[in-house]
Amino acid sequence: MSASGGTRAIVAALGANLAIAVSKFVAFAFSGSSSMLAEGVHSLADSGNQALLLIGGKKAQREATPQHPFGYGRERYIYAFLVSIVLFSVGGMFAVYEGYEKIKHPHQIEHWYWPVGVLVFAIIAEGFSFRTAIKESNELRGTHSWSQFIRRAKAPELPVVLLEDFGALIGLVLALGGVGLALLTDDGVWDGIGTLCIGILLILIALVLAAETKSLLLGEAAGVEEVKKIEASIVDGHTVTGIIHMRTLHLGPEELLVAAKIAVQHDDTAAEVATAINAAESRIRAAVPIARVIYLEPDIYSEAKAAKGPNPEATPGGPAQTPSEH
């Protein structure tokens, strides 16, 4: 996995979650706190999620084959989507069920110091993991807000770890609040309410992750800045005089396909056109290094045809659109 995939953040989160999961299950065994059980399952699910991200990154590095000529870059999207499913089912739905059961059949928390001590330890460990994810994300985020970064990121690992760690920290605070209120009021219902809130939070985060990774799986175009760089690189003002239409598609987080029909002069020779296309491809790769698969189709520019507007039948999907901010 490339550095931009956030391997360091994934490993940090994996180590923290495994340690936290063990401590939470021990606390549940001694205290009987449902919040501890829900949080233990949550941390275990998170550990499995980080393992899935690492597996996806490894599989994505496989070389292209005749059956998969564009490689396996989208493996990372598939495994990130699996993470959202695991987080929804194993994490969120389990916590909702456990919370409902504890509200319906509350019981007192025994050995309160176990869950409180574990929650404090977990908040510190998750805070370290979250700090690592933020540090790595800031290297790529630039001037974008956090919501824009999560929506625009083509590498799914960092947004997944960020949202998981954020949800884990909020969930720990909810668990601590539920346990604290249960101890203060001597009413185990509060423990169940805290567990229920954790489940709802995890489901919401899972839905956000599912929506974002689904968009990546369907195929997203290059960002606005990359599209502008590609367009500027194609036209040389001599042989290549314009772009008739262009499509971009992410084959993976660090691999971009560029397909364009370019305008050339009617009296250019085949050799001149071929030389201009090769030069344009070199300029594109220099400006946008992840543009690794490039197809440029020359065509004779016609002012009469251009005056009629874009041709919806020119390529599948209709005329080229202005790239979105997504």
Side-chain angles (χ1 to χ4, degrees), residues 121-192:
F121 164 73
I123 289 173
I124 295 172
E126 284 289 0
F128 170 76
S129 174
F130 193 40
R131 178 178 174 274
T132 303
I134 289 175
K135 184 178 179 181
E136 287 216 353
S137 299
N138 279 332
E139 296 177 1
L140 303 173
R141 186 166 63 95
T143 59
H144 296 151
S145 67
W146 285 108
S147 61
Q148 289 175 327
F149 172 71
I150 290 172
R151 291 177 59 243
R152 294 184 180 193
K154 304 305 181 183
E157 292 85 4
L158 279 174
V160 168
V161 174
L162 277 170
L163 287 175
E164 276 190 345
D165 285 349
F166 175 75
L169 283 171
I170 299 299
L172 288 166
V173 172
L174 291 173
L176 188 60
V179 171
L181 288 172
L183 293 171
L184 289 173
T185 62
D186 199 28
D187 187 354
V189 169
W190 288 107
D191 188 31

Side-chain angles (χ1 to χ4, degrees), residues 52-53 55-62 68 71-82 156-157 217 251-253:
L52 285 173
L53 292 177
I55 292 171
K58 185 67 175 178
K59 286 182 172 292
Q61 295 176 351
R62 288 180 293 172
H68 298 91
Y72 294 85
R74 288 194 182 183
E75 288 269 16
R76 287 164 67 177
Y77 300 153
I78 294 172
Y79 278 83
F81 189 76
L82 289 176
E157 292 85 4
L217 276 171
L251 302 174

